[in-house]
Amino acid sequence: MAKLKTKFACTECGTESPKWLGKCPGCGQWNTMVEEKETVVKTQGMGSPLIQTKEKPRPIIHIESGQEKRIETTNQELNRVLGGGVVPGSLILVGGDPGIGKSTLLLQTSHALASKNLTVLYISGEESVRQTRLRADRLGALTDKLYVLCETNMEQINDAIESVQPDFLVIDSIQTVYDPNVQSAPGSVSQVRECTAHFMRVAKIKGIATVLVGHVTKEGAIAGPRMLEHMVDCVLYFEGERHHTYRLLRAVKNRFGSTNEIGIFEMGEEGLREVNNPSELFLSERPLGVSGSTVVAAMEGTRPVLVELQALVATTNFPSPRRMATGIDHNRMTLIVAVLEKRMGMFLQTQDAYLNVAGGIRLDEPAVDLAAAVSIASSFRDAPTRPYDVFFGEIGLTGEVRGVSRAEQRVREAQKLGFKRVIMPSKSLKGWTPPKGIEIIGVETVAQALSIAFA
Ligand code: TYD
Ligand code: MG
C-alpha cells in the first residue's frame, strides 16, 4: 500500500514545506502555499536515462564528436532561436502570457514539420479537437501526418504516443496534464513536476523532440516549480505587447545553442508570419523631423536592429521630477540624465523626462546610451536631429563615449536601410574598413556627439 503524505507547496516557485506558511520562504509571496496530498509512488526518479545505461567512463578523446542532428523547421526565426533547428530527443519549454500566440506558433510549426514528412502529435488539453481544427483551417495547417488529440490524462497520452510514434510532440499545456498516480490537482506543483519528468524520459528514450507549453505567473516566470526550467533543455519565452501585432521569441536557456538570439513574428489573419527584416518594422511608424526622436543601431543577439528611441522632456508639476523609461533600464536612463546635467550643464532638475523604445522591444545593451542622450537633449532643446542619423555608443560617467562591440554590423545595417550618417564611438572604428556611401563620424565625448547632431 502506498503511503499518503501531506505537504505544502508554493504555487509560484514550488518551494515545499511540511507545514503551512503564510509567506513562502522561497519567493517571499504571500498566500501561495497550498496543501498537496501525494501518494509516494516508486518512479524511476528523474535521473536521465543516459545514466541508466551501463556505460563505462571513456576518455573524452574517444567520444565521437560532430554536430547535433537537427530537424530544421521551415520557420527561420524559430530555427534561429533554437540554434539551428529542433534537436531530436530534446525537451523544450515555451512560456508566455495567455493569448500571446503559443498555440498558434506550435500548430504552425507542427504543420511545417508534418509537411516535411515527419509524424507530429499535438496534444491539446485546453481546446477541443474541433477548436484546433478550426484554428488549423484558418492557418492552412492541414496535413495527414499531423495528429491531434484532446486529452489531459497522462496514461491516455502515453497510449497515443505508443500508437502514433511521433517524431515531434507538442503538449499544450503542461499545467493541464495530470498523472492519475499522483493525487494532487492538475497544475499543482507535484503534478507539473512529475509530468515533466515523465515527458523528459519519453523524449530521451524515444528520441522525440517534445515541446511543452507552460503558463506564466504574474511575475512573468513559468508557473510551477523553478526546477522545471532546470529539467528541460531549452526554455523559450514568447512575448509581446498585447496591442502590437508583433511577437518576440526569446531563449532564456538553450543547451544546444546561444541564448542571445530572438525570433520576431507578426500576428496576422493567417497566423504568425516571420519578420526577416525587423529594422523596417521597428522604423515603420517613425515620425521624421520631430524633436526627441532618434534611431539607435542595437544588437539583438547576433543580429543588428535599428530601433527608434523617443524622449519627452517637460516641466514637472511635482517636487521631484519623474524619470520614466520603457524598454530600457531605468537606472541607465537616470545615469544618462545625470551625465547630461553635470557634464553638459542641462538644467533637467525641474523637468520630467520620459524615454520610450518605440515598438515595445526591450534594449538591454549599453550601446543605446548615446542615442538616449541625444533624444533627451533633442526634446529638452526642442530641436530635431537629422532624420537619417543613427547613433550608438556607451556613455561613461565622465561624459566619455566608450567603444562597443560589432560596430561594423551596426553600420552595415544602417547603410542597408538608407541612413546617411552614423555617429559612433571613435574607439570602435579600429580593425575594419567602413563601407562607402555612408558618412561615419567617430566621437569621444557626449559633448562632441551633441554638437554634431545639432549642427
Ligand atoms: P493563441 O495561440 O491561442 O494564444 P495562447 O495559446 O498563447 O494562449 O493565440 C490567440 C490569439 O491570437 C487570439 O487573440 C487571436 C490571435 N490570432 C490571430 O490574430 N490570427 C490567427 O490567425 C490566429 C490563429 C490567432
Ligand atoms: Mg493556447
Side-chain angles (χ1 to χ4, degrees):
M1 173 75 191
K3 204 173 107 204
L4 208 66
K5 237 174 50 174
T6 303
K7 63 180 178 188
F8 295 86
C10 171
T11 51
E12 297 281 319
C13 73
T15 303
E16 290 177 356
S17 150
K19 60 178 201 301
W20 188 82
L21 296 165
K23 184 182 180 187
C24 169
C27 60
Q29 293 281 320
W30 289 91
N31 262 336
T32 55
M33 302 295 280
V34 291
E35 185 175 353
E36 293 204 346
K37 285 204 176 57
E38 191 184 22
T39 336
V40 184
V41 280
K42 282 221 170 66
T43 58
Q44 291 128 294
M46 61 154 292
S48 114
L50 293 173
I51 298 166
Q52 289 161 14
T53 57
K54 292 235 168 57
E55 267 201 46
K56 289 210 168 62
R58 283 183 285 168
I60 193 162
I61 48 167
H62 291 168
I63 296 171
E64 52 291 344
S65 66
Q67 291 281 310
E68 285 291 338
K69 222 176 87 205
R70 287 179 191 266
I71 310 168
E72 273 189 39
T73 67
T74 48
N75 188 326
Q76 291 311 322
E77 296 297 299
L78 183 63
N79 286 346
R80 178 203 303 282
V81 176
L82 288 171
V86 187
V87 176
S90 64
L91 189 61
I92 301 164
L93 182 63
V94 177
D97 287 335
I100 202 81
K102 301 181 293 298
S103 305
T104 309
L105 174 73
L106 291 168
L107 194 60
Q108 279 182 291
T109 309
S110 299
H111 169 248
L113 291 172
S115 324
K116 289 180 91 178
N117 227 8
L118 295 168
T119 310
V120 181
L121 178 58
Y122 188 101
I123 310 276
S124 177
E126 300 189 338
E127 290 169 20
S128 67
V129 282
R130 283 188 62 101
Q131 275 172 306
T132 308
R133 165 72 205 229
L134 276 176
R135 187 197 300 260
D137 276 338
R138 192 161 156 194
L139 300 172
L142 299 173
T143 336
D144 54 358
K145 293 281 244 177
L146 173 54
Y147 294 81
V148 179
L149 174 70
C150 174
E151 184 55 71
T152 53
N153 184 333
M154 189 66 130
E155 286 176 353
Q156 310 288 337
I157 294 175
N158 264 339
D159 291 346
I161 296 173
E162 281 306 320
S163 74
V164 174
Q165 294 288 342
D167 301 299
F168 187 73
L169 172 68
V170 178
I171 308 291
D172 189 359
S173 65
I174 186 70
Q175 276 89 4
T176 55
V177 178
Y178 71 96
D179 182 343
N181 295 320
V182 178
Q183 263 153 33
S184 45
S188 67
V189 176
S190 18
Q191 280 289 3
V192 170
R193 189 178 47 214
E194 284 308 316
C195 294
T196 308
H198 175 82
F199 285 119
M200 188 179 71
R201 281 194 296 271
V202 174
K204 300 289 174 210
I205 292 168
K206 292 183 175 287
I208 305 172
T210 307
V211 178
L212 308 177
V213 173
H215 289 206
V216 294
T217 62
K218 17 182 210 309
E219 280 73 44
I222 291 177
R226 235 291 32 128
M227 209 173 96
L228 212 69
E229 299 197 357
H230 300 296
M231 288 159 77
V232 300
D233 296 312
C234 299
V235 180
L236 309 181
Y237 275 97
F238 204 36
E239 44 188 51
E241 299 271 326
R242 188 163 295 270
H243 306 292
H244 287 293
T245 54
Y246 54 84
R247 307 276 183 264
L248 303 181
L249 186 66
R250 195 184 288 280
V252 293
K253 166 178 176 179
N254 191 352
R255 288 194 180 137
F256 308 107
S258 134
T259 52
N260 289 327
E261 298 293 352
I262 61 164
I264 304 174
F265 299 90
E266 198 174 359
M267 180 67 94
E269 283 297 305
E270 274 101 47
L272 291 159
R273 214 169 40 79
E274 302 165 40
V275 175
N276 296 325
N277 198 338
S279 302
E280 268 171 21
L281 178 77
F282 290 128
L283 295 179
S284 61
E285 288 175 42
R286 183 168 69 107
L288 297 181
V290 179
S291 70
S293 159
T294 57
V295 175
V296 59
M299 295 299 296
E300 272 293 353
T302 54
R303 175 164 53 171
V305 282
L306 297 193
V307 186
E308 183 198 354
L309 277 187
Q310 294 187 333
L312 183 68
V313 177
T315 311
T316 185
N317 291 319
F318 303 101
S320 64
R322 301 190 58 167
R323 306 281 178 246
M324 226 169 88
T326 328
I328 182 170
D329 181 22
H330 182 263
N331 293 332
R332 220 54 236 163
M333 175 189 177
T334 318
L335 185 149
I336 293 165
V337 170
V339 170
L340 288 176
E341 281 177 349
K342 179 86 181 170
R343 308 282 168 198
M344 301 301 304
M346 288 187 196
F347 193 67
L348 293 164
Q349 286 94 327
T350 55
Q351 308 284 325
D352 287 336
Y354 304 89
L355 190 62
N356 184 21
V357 179
I361 189 174
R362 238 201 113 69
L363 301 176
D364 283 328
E365 49 159 9
V368 300
D369 291 359
L370 187 59
V374 176
S375 280
I376 295 170
S378 162
S379 179
F380 177 68
R381 297 178 180 176
D382 204 11
T385 56
R386 293 198 208 172
Y388 294 102
D389 279 359
V390 169
F391 300 85
F392 65 90
E394 180 180 347
I395 293 179
L397 293 185
T398 66
E400 85 274 21
V401 176
R402 309 172 72 106
V404 297
S405 63
R406 298 182 193 265
E408 182 171 5
Q409 272 175 286
R410 299 177 203 256
V411 169
R412 290 198 185 276
E413 179 75 4
Q415 189 192 24
K416 199 169 91 192
L417 284 148
F419 282 85
K420 303 212 167 64
R421 288 202 310 185
V422 178
I423 292 140
M424 57 171 284
S426 53
K427 290 177 198 69
S428 301
L429 284 169
K430 296 191 193 85
W432 57 284
T433 0
K436 294 208 166 51
I438 184 161
E439 189 185 349
I440 294 172
I441 306 171
V443 293
E444 312 249 322
T445 60
V446 180
Q448 253 181 315
L450 291 185
S451 71
I452 291 164
F454 297 107

